[in-house]
Amino acid sequence: MLTLEDRITARVKAADFRDWRDRVTAIGGCAAPIRLSGAFQLQDLHGGVIEHIGGDIMVPCGNRRESVCPACSDRYAADAYHLMHAGLAGGSKGVPESVSEKPRVFATLTAPSFGPVHNRPIAATGKVRPCTGCGEWHHGDDPRLGGAVDPGTYDYTGAVLWQAHAGKLWHRFTIALRRKLARAAGLKVSEFKHHARLSYAKVAEYQRRGLVHFHAVVRVDGPDGPHDPTPAWATAELLGDCIKSAARSVGIDAIRPDGSALRLVWGEQVDTKSIRPSNASQVEDESGEISEARLAGYVAKYATKGTGARDTADRPIRSQLDIDVLHISEHHRRMVQTAWDLGGLADFEELNLRKWAHMLGFRGHFLTKSKHYSTTFRAIREERRTFRTLEMFERLELDPDAVIVVNDWQYAGSGYDNDAERELAAGIVERVRAQRLRKYEQEVAA
C-alpha cells in the first residue's frame, strides 16, 4: 500500500497538477471547497457571446472556524476586522471619520457562576496563584482548567439554559441601556431616539469553563446615525456607568426540567473601558484605554475561534453515539450531554438544543452588530466581487456597462478527492499565510 508521501508525490507528478494547484491557490487553500460544474458567458447587449468559459471550478466553503478551515477563517477574520475598524475609526465603508471622536466604550459581559471551576489566577505582578477551587497550582496546559471542581454539584442544567438564552439576554440588555441613557439625560424613554442612537458590535468568546462572554464596542451617535453629531450630554464615562447599571438590571425567568424557577442574569464581572483614537500601538495603554486598530484585530480573532478551541465538536451532534466517542474533557462532555438531554424534553423543544449541543447550548451568532454601527459582511463581500469583476473587464479591455454576465453552475461535490490533495492544500494555506505575514512586516517596517 502506498504511503501518504507516495500519494502526494504521485499527485504532484500528475499531468493536471499545475492546473489543480492554481485553482486551489485561487481559493486560498480552502480545506473543503465546493466543486461546481458549468460555465459563464460574457455577452454584449444584443446577446452576442464575447467570452465563454466552461468546466469545473472550486469556490471556498466559507466556514469561519479556524479549526475547520484556516483559509476561510482568515478571510472571515479580515472581513470582521474591516467591519469592526470602520465603526471605530471611520473614514471607510461609508462611516465618517468623526466617529473616532464620539463616546465609545469597550464592554465585557460575562456569564454567572454555576459552581466552582479549576482556575489559574494571576496577580497584577504576573505571579501565578493557587486555584481558588481546589487550592492546587495548575500549569497553563492543565486539562482540568475550566472544569468543575465537583461535577456532582455543578449546575450543568443552569449553565446550558443560560447559554441558550444568552442572545435574548443581550437583547434585553440593549433595551435597558437605552433606558438608562435616556434617564441619565433627563429624557423620557420614548424621546431617546429623537436625541441619540445606540450603535454597537459584539463578539462572543468561549471561556475555558465552556460558557460564552461578550466583548462589545458600544458607541453613542446622533439620532440619524454615525454622520450625526452626538449630543453633548453623552460621554464615555456616562456610557460606561449606564452599561454596568443596565447589565445588573436585566434577567430572564426560565424553568428547570422539574418545574422550579431559574433566573438567568449576567455575571458579576462587567468590565468597561473607554476607547481612544487610533494612534496607539497596544490594545490597552497605561491609563486602561483601548486603541482602535488593535481592538478591531482582537475582536476579529475571537470571531473565528471555535467553541473553546479544543474541548468540543466542530460539527453538530447527530446521535448519542457521537457524544460517546467525543475526545473532549469530562466537563464539556457533561455540557454537551445536558444540552442533548434537555433538547429531548417537550418543555424545551423551542430552544432546539440538540441542534446546538456541539455549541454547548449557545444558539447565537458569534459576531453581531446594530444597523448603523458600520458596514455589513454582505456589503464587504459584494465589494470584493465587484472589484474582481471589474479587474476581469479591464484585463479583457471591455466596457462594464456594455457587458452582461451569465452564470450557469451546478453543484458537483465538496472537498478533495483524497488525503494527498488535502495535505497539499494545507501546505498552500501555510504558504499564503507566510506571504501575508512577510508583507505585513514589510509594511510596518516601512
Side-chain angles (χ1 to χ4, degrees), residues 366-396:
F366 276 83
L367 196 158
T368 59
K369 66 173 205 62
S370 61
K371 179 178 180 180
H372 294 279
Y373 173 79
S374 70
T375 187
T376 64
F377 280 112
R378 176 179 292 182
I380 291 174
R381 291 161 186 161
E382 184 61 34
E383 184 179 333
R384 184 161 53 237
R385 283 193 291 268
T386 299
F387 174 81
R388 289 173 178 169
T389 301
L390 292 177
E391 191 176 47
M392 176 186 66
F393 287 153
E394 183 177 352
R395 184 177 67 253
L396 297 174

Side-chain angles (χ1 to χ4, degrees), residues 109-386:
L109 279 68
T110 62
S113 173
F114 294 97
V117 296
H118 293 284
N119 53 52
R120 189 170 181 263
I122 299 178
T125 59
K127 184 178 180 181
V128 178
R129 293 178 175 174
C131 174
T132 58
C134 68
E136 295 185 29
W137 299 79
H138 292 299
H139 186 273
D141 293 324
D142 191 329
R144 293 177 294 172
L145 285 174
V149 174
D150 182 4
T153 61
Y154 190 86
D155 187 5
Y156 284 100
T157 297
V160 169
L161 289 177
W162 185 93
Q163 200 101 285
H165 289 85
K168 186 176 180 180
L169 190 60
W170 171 265
H171 177 65
R172 292 195 177 183
F173 160 74
T174 60
I175 294 173
L177 179 54
R178 291 183 181 93
R179 290 173 177 170
K180 296 290 182 181
L181 286 168
R183 290 167 184 164
L187 301 170
K188 294 180 180 180
V189 175
S190 60
E191 297 175 338
F192 180 77
K193 64 182 179 181
H194 301 299
H195 293 265
R197 182 185 295 275
L198 191 68
S199 296
Y200 66 83
K202 72 170 176 65
V203 65
E205 176 198 357
Y206 277 85
Q207 298 172 299
R208 296 190 77 152
R209 58 178 172 151
L211 291 166
V212 296
H213 61 185
F214 292 126
H215 299 297
V217 174
V218 186
R219 190 183 72 218
V220 180
D221 297 326
D224 292 328
H227 292 83
D228 205 10
T230 303
W233 54 261
T235 64
E237 292 73 20
L238 175 65
L239 179 57
D241 291 341
C242 289
I243 287 173
K244 292 178 179 178
S245 179
R248 289 192 294 266
S249 70
V250 297
I252 295 174
D253 291 318
I255 60 168
R256 295 179 181 273
D258 61 5
S260 60
L262 174 63
R263 181 69 173 173
L264 304 173
V265 297
W266 295 108
E268 294 182 1
Q269 182 184 352
V270 178
D271 185 49
T272 61
K273 286 184 172 62
S274 297
I275 301 172
R276 63 187 176 84
S278 57
N279 58 351
S281 59
Q282 298 180 351
V283 171
E284 183 176 311
D285 64 14
E286 295 79 3
S287 65
E289 292 184 323
I290 304 292
S291 70
E292 294 162 347
R294 292 299 178 91
L295 174 57
Y298 175 78
V299 171
K301 176 183 72 174
Y302 284 113
T304 61
K305 289 180 67 175
T307 59
R310 57 181 174 181
D311 274 328
T312 192
D314 284 322
R315 291 177 173 82
I317 304 296
R318 301 301 183 190
S319 68
Q320 181 62 48
L321 180 61
D322 285 347
I323 302 175
D324 295 340
V325 300
L326 285 176
H327 295 289
I328 58 177
S329 71
E330 185 58 30
H331 176 72
H332 286 77
R333 185 188 305 278
R334 282 176 177 251
M335 291 193 70
V336 172
Q337 187 69 62
T338 300
W340 182 262
D341 292 343
L342 289 174
L345 301 177
D347 289 342
F348 303 99
E349 185 176 357
E350 65 177 16
L351 297 178
N352 207 10
L353 284 169
R354 288 196 166 182
K355 178 180 179 181
W356 303 106
H358 70 299
M359 305 295 286
L360 311 182
F362 180 59
R363 304 183 301 145
H365 295 288
F366 276 83
L367 196 158
T368 59
K369 66 173 205 62
S370 61
K371 179 178 180 180
H372 294 279
Y373 173 79
S374 70
T375 187
T376 64
F377 280 112
R378 176 179 292 182
I380 291 174
R381 291 161 186 161
E382 184 61 34
E383 184 179 333
R384 184 161 53 237
R385 283 193 291 268
T386 299

